């Protein structure tokens, strides 16, 4: 289907998007530079997944009153995950 709905305590918490999903011209597999070119300025944030010592990077935007997070692979500059949150 292209999306996975994730619920916490019976309420929709966020939506994970697959390669099939296009959000404002962006999709999994693009570089952060390509995402910024499509969506505008955003600070690249370095972070770590719990229990993982490898750094990842993300961009966050507010699109249509929803927070959209683009997560970059730690090895190469390509987005591996797009997550949409309720604002």
């Amino acid at each position: 289907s292209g999306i996975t709905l994730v619920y916490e305590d019976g309420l929709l918490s966020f939506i994970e998007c697959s390669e099939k999903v296009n959000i404002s011209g962006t999709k999994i597999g693009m570089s952060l530079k390509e995402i910024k070119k499509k969506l505008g300025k955003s600070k690249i944030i370095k972070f770590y997944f719990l229990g993982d010592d490898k750094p990842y990077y993300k961009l966050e935007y507010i699109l249509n009153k929803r927070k959209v997070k683009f997560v970059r692979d730690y090895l190469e500059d390509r987005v591996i995950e797009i997550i949409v949150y309720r604002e």
Side-chain angles (χ1 to χ4, degrees):
S1 72
I3 63 170
T4 300
L5 304 176
V6 180
Y7 290 85
E8 294 177 356
D9 299 325
L11 298 172
L12 179 63
S13 181
F14 59 91
I15 301 168
E16 293 180 339
C17 302
S18 78
E19 298 85 8
K20 298 176 184 178
V21 175
N22 177 322
I23 296 178
S24 298
T26 65
K27 59 185 177 183
I28 288 178
M30 294 177 77
S31 70
L32 293 184
K33 184 176 179 180
E34 291 172 314
I35 301 286
K36 289 174 82 169
K37 188 173 181 180
K38 293 273 187 189
L39 300 180
K41 284 187 170 187
S42 181
K43 183 179 178 183
I44 297 174
I45 302 165
K46 182 179 182 178
F47 73 102
Y48 295 86
F49 284 110
L50 188 62
D52 193 347
D53 63 347
K54 298 174 194 85
Y56 289 81
Y57 301 89
K58 66 182 176 180
L59 292 173
E60 293 182 346
Y61 292 91
I62 301 297
L63 302 172
N64 297 320
K65 299 181 183 177
R66 304 286 185 262
K67 182 188 290 186
V68 180
K69 180 168 65 173
F70 299 88
V71 178
R72 192 198 99 169
D73 185 10
Y74 69 95
L75 291 176
E76 57 184 280
D77 184 16
R78 66 176 195 85
V79 170
I80 58 169
E81 192 172 61
I82 299 174
I83 302 172
V84 180
Y85 296 89
R86 291 186 310 144
E87 188 53 22

